[in-house]
Amino acid sequence: MRKVYKVPILGKWLQVLDFFRAIPARFQDYDQKIDKINETCVSKNKFEIKMNRIEAEIAENDKLGQSIEELEQHFSETIEAYEKKIHLLTQENEKVKEYCRLIEMSRIPQSFEQILGNQEWLCKLNLQLSIHPTIWGDKNRLHISPLAAMQACFFNTNSGNITIGDYTYAGSNVSILAGSHDMYLEGLPRRDAELKQDCDIIIGKGVWLASGSIILGPCKIGDNAVIAAGAVVIPGTEIEDNAVYAGVPAKKKKMVDTSCAIEDKHVVRAIQRENGVLFVDGWSDKKEFMHEDGLQIGHLYIKNNASIYTNQTNLRLLLRKLVDEPVSVSIFGTRGEWNKELNNSNEIWDIVLNCTENDLNELTVLCTKNAIGKLMISVL
């Protein structure tokens, strides 16, 4: 065919003819190339879409990773908080177990035969009975200071009122009888028609009623007097302050000089006996309570300006708050002033007194009103 093309005129016509004949094939070839180009463009678009999806997934994964880190931190803090709560609940559980154990120890069997046959239960029953006073008559005629300790007494108020001052205390089996009968009657009237008044008994502050003593009204006992064990104070007796009475009937044996001055030799000895800390005024008698370290002995805050004597250079106090709201505590002394806000039920307070060993210090404790009768202080 190439040789034919060299023929003059005919060759040219054949070349033109072949050219036009080849045009459809060339267009087809061009169409195929265009299709390939379109396919390539589509593939490129698909690739870009895929890349965009991948980038979006990567961004989403980054956000998810950040969220996971935040969740891990949140869960870590939450777990730590729950671990603390679990620890506190474990401590409370141990306290409850100990409390239940004490209740179990104090529980009395139902069967009377069981009690009689168990020496341990008899001892517990006797102890419980000995610390609860017996009141015969109108209990509204009995007026005992909250600072007095009269647990093991027998009271009779049928014929008069009984009044007992601050810090007066009684031993076991003490009878305070403001109840009497008319000896000039006989039979049933003598028994049932008892006197209704005129047998009042007034006992002052700081009186010591020793075990087995009997107080018959009407009578009056002055501040800081001592009634000896087994003594019988007969009706009409008036005992002056600081007097010591003994015998049947009770007679004055001597007078004692009492003092609460911190430099008094008897007070100094008392401070030493109490391991260097003496609760003086404004406190209850010693009371036992459970703490995480075991059984503690403390004093209940009863009135403002309570006082403490000490010869210690440092004090470590356990303060137990019996109310939900905060309590403010202030301690004043010649060596300084200390203040504390109590928010927790139990808190430790370390006080440095800035003094030399065996120096005597008088401390005054002043608390907010809600602490009265609701704050226990124990020396550790």
Side-chain angles (χ1 to χ4, degrees):
M1 183 62 71
R2 297 290 180 184
K3 292 179 180 181
V4 177
Y5 287 164
K6 294 179 180 180
V7 177
I9 300 173
L10 179 62
K12 291 293 183 182
W13 280 105
L14 288 173
Q15 286 181 11
V16 171
L17 182 62
D18 288 341
F19 174 78
F20 282 106
R21 288 174 61 189
I23 285 175
R26 288 181 180 178
F27 276 110
Q28 185 178 2
D29 184 51
Y30 289 151
D31 289 338
Q32 290 177 353
K33 288 182 178 180
I34 290 170
D35 290 340
K36 288 182 179 180
I37 291 171
N38 289 334
E39 289 177 1
T40 302
C41 291
V42 170
S43 299
K44 184 178 179 181
N45 290 336
K46 289 182 178 179
F47 176 75
E48 289 178 352
I49 292 172
K50 286 184 179 180
M51 288 301 296
N52 290 335
R53 287 179 181 175
I54 291 171
E55 289 176 356
E57 289 178 359
I58 291 172
E60 188 68 26
N61 288 336
D62 290 339
K63 291 181 180 179
L64 182 60
Q66 185 177 359
S67 300
I68 290 172
E69 290 179 357
E70 292 176 354
L71 286 173
E72 286 178 348
Q73 183 178 0
H74 174 71
F75 280 124
S76 177
E77 294 174 354
T78 304
I79 289 170
E80 185 178 353
Y82 275 111
E83 285 177 347
K84 290 181 179 179
K85 288 183 179 180
I86 289 171
H87 179 67
L88 293 174
L89 287 172
T90 302
Q91 290 181 333
E92 289 296 325
N93 185 46
E94 293 300 322
K95 292 179 183 178
V96 170
K97 285 182 179 178
E98 179 63 18
Y99 182 69
C100 291
R101 186 184 68 83
L102 293 175
I103 291 177
E104 181 66 24
M105 289 177 61
S106 63
R107 195 168 60 184
I108 298 175
Q110 298 296 318
S111 170
F112 187 68
E113 289 77 10
Q114 283 182 286
I115 298 176
L116 294 179
N118 190 319
Q119 187 66 31
E120 183 180 358
W121 286 118
L122 283 173
C123 291
K124 292 176 183 177
L125 179 60
N126 182 62
L127 177 62
Q128 290 297 317
L129 292 175
S130 67
I131 61 176
H132 292 285
T134 301
I135 303 173
W136 186 263
D138 185 358
K139 63 180 181 181
N140 293 319
R141 302 180 83 174
L142 179 61
H143 311 284
I144 303 176
S145 164
L147 299 176
M150 310 294 292
Q151 288 85 354
C153 294
F154 178 83
F155 297 98
N156 186 325
T157 60
N158 281 328
S159 307
N161 295 296
I162 298 174
T163 304
I164 299 172
D166 296 348
Y167 301 115
T168 288
Y169 60 100
S172 58
N173 298 319
V174 172
S175 297
I176 303 175
L177 310 176
S180 188
H181 299 262
D182 189 345
M183 69 175 67
Y184 299 101
L185 297 176
E186 61 181 34
L188 183 60
R190 173 186 273 189
R191 189 191 71 182
D192 283 359
E194 69 266 24
L195 302 180
K196 302 300 182 185
Q197 56 187 9
D198 299 329
C199 288
D200 294 347
I201 297 175
I202 300 174
I203 301 175
K205 300 178 181 179
V207 176
W208 175 10
L209 303 174
S211 296
S213 58
I214 300 174
I215 315 299
L216 303 176
C219 70
K220 183 177 180 180
I221 301 176
D223 296 344
N224 302 309
V226 178
I227 308 302
V232 177
V233 178
I234 62 174
T237 304
E238 290 196 12
I239 298 176
E240 59 267 50
D241 296 350
N242 300 91
V244 178
Y245 270 57
V248 182
K251 300 291 184 181
K252 183 170 74 172
K253 299 299 179 180
K254 64 177 181 178
M255 301 292 293
V256 291
D257 294 326
T258 59
S259 173
C260 262
I262 192 170
E263 67 277 1
D264 184 88
K265 64 180 181 179
H266 299 288
V267 174
V268 173
R269 290 172 187 167
I271 295 172
Q272 293 171 348
R273 287 195 300 269
E274 293 299 302
N275 298 317
V277 182
L278 182 65
F279 288 78
V280 182
D281 188 34
W283 306 97
S284 71
D285 55 333
K286 293 177 181 177
K287 296 186 180 298
E288 295 180 346
F289 64 95
M290 289 300 301
H291 185 58
E292 57 186 16
D293 296 329
L295 193 65
Q296 297 290 336
I297 296 177
H299 294 265
L300 201 61
Y301 180 78
I302 297 296
K303 63 180 182 179
N304 288 331
N305 297 318
S307 57
I308 298 174
Y309 294 166
T310 180
N311 61 7
Q312 302 295 299
T313 57
N314 302 296
L315 289 179
R316 180 159 231 217
L317 304 177
L318 169 62
L319 290 81
R320 187 181 194 191
K321 179 169 64 74
L322 305 177
V323 290
D324 294 331
E325 61 267 20
V327 169
S328 296
V329 182
S330 298
I331 297 180
F332 306 91
T334 56
R335 302 288 183 174
E337 177 182 338
W338 301 266
N339 300 284
K340 190 173 183 65
E341 185 83 7
L342 299 180
N343 295 304
N344 301 317
S345 298
N346 297 285
E347 293 192 25
I348 304 294
W349 192 7
D350 291 307
I351 298 177
V352 179
L353 296 176
N354 300 316
C355 62
T356 58
E357 190 174 356
N358 292 323
D359 277 356
L360 297 176
N361 289 286
E362 181 176 356
L363 305 176
T364 301
V365 182
L366 180 61
C367 304
T368 47
K369 189 176 180 180
N370 61 338
I372 295 178
K374 301 295 182 180
L375 177 66
M376 188 84 74
I377 295 184
S378 176
V379 181
L380 299 178

